[in-house]
Amino acid sequence: MKPAALIQRDLLLAYRRRSELATPLIFFVMVTGLFPLALSPEPALLRTLAPGVVWVAALLAGLIGQESLFKSDYEDGSLEQLLLSPAPLEFVVLLRVFTHWLVTGLPLVILSPLMGLLLNYPAAAMWTLIMSLLLGTPILSFLGAVGAALTVGLRRSGMLLPVLILPLTVPVLIFGASTAARAASSEPTAAPLYFLGAMLVLAVTFAPYAIAGGLRVSLES
Amino acid sequence: MFIWFHKLVSPPYFYKFAGRLSPWLAWLSLLVILAGLYAGLWLAPPDYQQGDGFRIMYVHVPSAWMSLFVYTVMAMAAAIGLIWRMKLAHAVSAAAAPLGASFTFLALVTGSLWGKPMWGTYWVWDARLTSELILLFLYLGYMVLNRAFDDRRTGDRASAILALVGIVNIPIIHYSVKWWNTLHQGPTVFFGPRADIPPSMYIPLFIMVAGFMLYFAAFILKRLQVEILQRERNTAWVRELVEKS
């Protein structure tokens, strides 16, 4: 199967299920909206909290979207066909995670300046917030895909996936949120951004093997 | 040598082997731990700064080391099980996880009990505390996934992959939280004698580490016996064993 055909198929499937894709976005906006209600609407406080809140909300919303990554393909049997195809499963999986990020992760990144605005995050630092999410959310997608591959055969995987994956996302959260926080106080942000980039390279290199391994285990049973 | 090894990893033989070795190790570990406690609580001099409060380290430091050591054992056994499809290796991982989680928990509890008089608080979001807490979550995630499948073999292999992903991540997690926030004192004991710590202070620590290692060895063998019985419950030798007793 050609890579372009795989991407096209996934994008088409995503387009047909538009409303399903909107759920993580709505969740993202709502979780962000809960923080001013629970803490305080004071602008100065929100400003210091904004990087962390946006990052935590993006992390949780991203994980919610991950559960559907292989589910429908597993249920209708097309995952088995992908496994049998001559193309290496690692590569197929890499394309799948990338396409899934395009339709779930990228909208979160695009929406994030709006959330920053709601939380009084300085407009001058907005590009750095976007950059940090642009580098960070694909890592989260790859980690989440490992969990999705391991739990795809289980009937109730809803709560299990975050339990497995959240501890692994800690470094991404630390560097991502610290990038955004440093940008807000106009400190240099190159170092944490480079770390995010390095972790993205690591994830792209190694995660496909873990995801493919997880899928093989899940389908063998 | 190889013949002996093949014989050893066959479940019925290993079951008997573990059953014979485990009590010896358990009694030995009890003796060593008692000796280490006596040396640490009575013979070691009080610290010039922390007084007698530092003595909790004779439990805290070995359990923190064991928490990392057990995870390494678990991940190595998981890799062996995935690569060579060795049934016993998966059983080792599954048996090690609860022990590792208990050591991690013990390290956290003793650490926070020590933290109250020394730092004035039970919990701070310090790098080492945080990475230890995340390690506990990794253990718990492994245990949950291991038991989540109807088929034990699927659960074994799925959780083995998770353990391997975890061990790649542990250094990254450790360094990221380290740069994020640090209050914990740096490692004091390093291998080899040091002028500023008297032997009567660090030798009990090594005795305690040896005792904890022996404890781990004794109880992983015991847990392995249980794991083997559960996994092999449909085989002839287990039936024979049960009927005989």
Side-chain angles (χ1 to χ4, degrees):
Chain A
M1 210 187 286
K2 286 197 187 100
L6 272 174
I7 294 182
Q8 199 190 354
R9 170 184 175 270
D10 288 346
L11 285 180
L12 189 66
L13 275 176
Y15 180 70
R16 296 274 152 80
R17 273 178 296 197
R18 293 184 288 273
S19 62
E20 210 173 287
L21 291 176
T23 324
L25 286 179
I26 300 170
F27 180 84
F28 178 55
V29 177
M30 283 167 80
V31 167
T32 319
L34 288 179
F35 280 91
L37 295 177
L39 295 166
S40 138
E42 194 200 330
L45 180 71
L46 287 182
R47 196 188 171 97
T48 55
L49 291 176
V53 169
V54 172
W55 255 94
V56 169
L59 170 67
L60 293 176
L63 274 187
I64 285 189
Q66 289 299 319
E67 208 207 326
S68 61
L69 184 57
F70 300 114
K71 204 86 185 177
S72 67
D73 275 357
Y74 174 78
E75 278 159 2
D76 66 15
S78 36
L79 200 57
E80 278 171 28
Q81 300 304 318
L82 287 179
L83 223 77
L84 293 173
S85 85
L89 185 60
E90 286 78 10
F91 183 63
V92 173
V93 152
L94 181 73
L95 288 178
R96 162 59 60 90
V97 175
F98 175 69
T99 335
H100 195 259
W101 176 79
L102 273 185
V103 295
T104 59
L106 196 58
L108 285 181
V109 178
I110 295 171
L111 209 60
S112 63
L114 194 64
M115 295 301 101
L117 217 63
L118 285 181
L119 295 172
N120 199 30
Y121 187 75
M126 214 60 99
W127 278 110
T128 320
L129 177 71
I130 296 174
M131 272 303 290
S132 75
L133 283 166
L134 214 50
L135 285 171
T137 46
I139 313 175
L140 299 177
S141 286
F142 276 103
L143 287 173
V146 176
L150 289 173
T151 56
V152 71
L154 293 169
R155 257 152 286 142
R156 275 178 303 235
S157 60
M159 238 13 237
L160 192 57
L161 178 61
V163 168
L164 302 182
I165 296 306
L166 277 177
L168 302 174
T169 60
V170 166
V172 186
L173 184 68
I174 288 178
F175 285 116
S178 82
T179 310
R182 278 158 167 262
S185 51
S186 19
E187 283 172 61
T189 54
L193 275 179
Y194 286 155
F195 269 107
L196 282 177
M199 285 194 285
L200 179 59
V201 172
L202 261 181
V204 172
T205 318
F206 289 114
Y209 293 97
I211 302 167
L215 284 180
R216 288 201 187 97
V217 170
S218 292
L219 283 171
E220 246 172 49
S221 56
Chain B
M1 165 76 195
F2 268 107
I3 296 170
W4 176 79
F5 184 71
H6 273 286
K7 210 168 129 192
L8 183 67
V9 295
S10 88
Y13 187 83
F14 190 86
Y15 178 83
K16 277 191 225 117
F17 173 79
R20 251 178 287 145
L21 196 58
S22 171
W24 287 97
L25 289 171
W27 283 109
L28 195 62
S29 83
L30 184 70
L31 279 179
V32 174
I33 287 176
L34 283 178
L37 281 179
Y38 177 70
L41 298 186
W42 277 277
L43 299 184
D47 186 74
Y48 81 100
Q49 210 176 11
Q50 305 179 356
D52 281 333
F54 90 100
R55 290 178 200 278
I56 200 164
M57 121 184 147
Y58 292 118
V59 179
H60 175 70
V61 175
S63 32
W65 286 359
M66 289 307 288
S67 67
L68 288 170
F69 172 76
V70 175
Y71 200 92
T72 318
V73 168
M74 195 177 100
M76 271 161 58
I80 291 170
L82 276 181
I83 296 167
W84 288 290
R85 310 246 165 162
M86 205 183 275
K87 276 190 286 182
L88 197 62
H90 283 309
V92 170
S93 293
L99 286 170
S102 331
F103 281 127
T104 316
F105 185 68
L106 191 62
L108 282 170
V109 169
T110 51
S112 77
L113 286 178
W114 177 87
K116 184 65 186 167
M118 297 302 161
W119 295 338
T121 168
Y122 285 115
W123 184 262
V124 281
W125 287 97
D126 159 71
R128 286 185 174 210
L129 279 75
T130 314
S131 44
E132 196 72 6
L133 185 68
I134 294 167
L135 184 66
L136 182 65
F137 291 152
L138 285 176
Y139 273 120
L140 294 180
Y142 174 92
M143 283 153 67
V144 171
L145 189 64
N146 191 265
R147 293 291 174 153
F149 293 85
D150 296 333
D151 183 7
R152 271 313 287 275
R153 278 170 302 176
T154 319
D156 277 339
R157 299 186 50 213
S159 53
I161 292 175
L162 187 71
L164 288 180
V165 175
I167 198 131
V168 173
N169 253 283
I170 281 178
I172 304 177
I173 293 174
H174 179 76
Y175 282 103
S176 61
V177 288
K178 192 168 166 187
W179 290 322
W180 165 67
N181 199 357
T182 292
L183 174 68
H184 197 290
Q185 59 190 52
T188 318
V189 174
F190 221 69
F191 298 96
R194 277 182 41 168
D196 51 342
I197 308 170
S200 57
M201 240 167 153
Y202 67 75
I203 285 176
L205 184 63
F206 290 130
I207 299 175
M208 285 303 282
V209 172
F212 272 51
M213 284 280 188
L214 286 168
Y215 172 89
F216 173 65
F219 279 82
I220 197 170
L221 287 177
K222 204 75 210 162
R223 292 188 59 86
L224 266 172
Q225 281 194 301
V226 180
E227 289 281 339
I228 288 172
L229 282 187
Q230 278 178 352
R231 280 149 204 260
E232 305 273 307
R233 62 177 176 271
N234 294 324
T235 56
W237 73 270
V238 173
R239 206 165 301 136
E240 220 170 87
L241 194 82
V242 174
E243 276 162 8
K244 215 166 41 178
S245 59

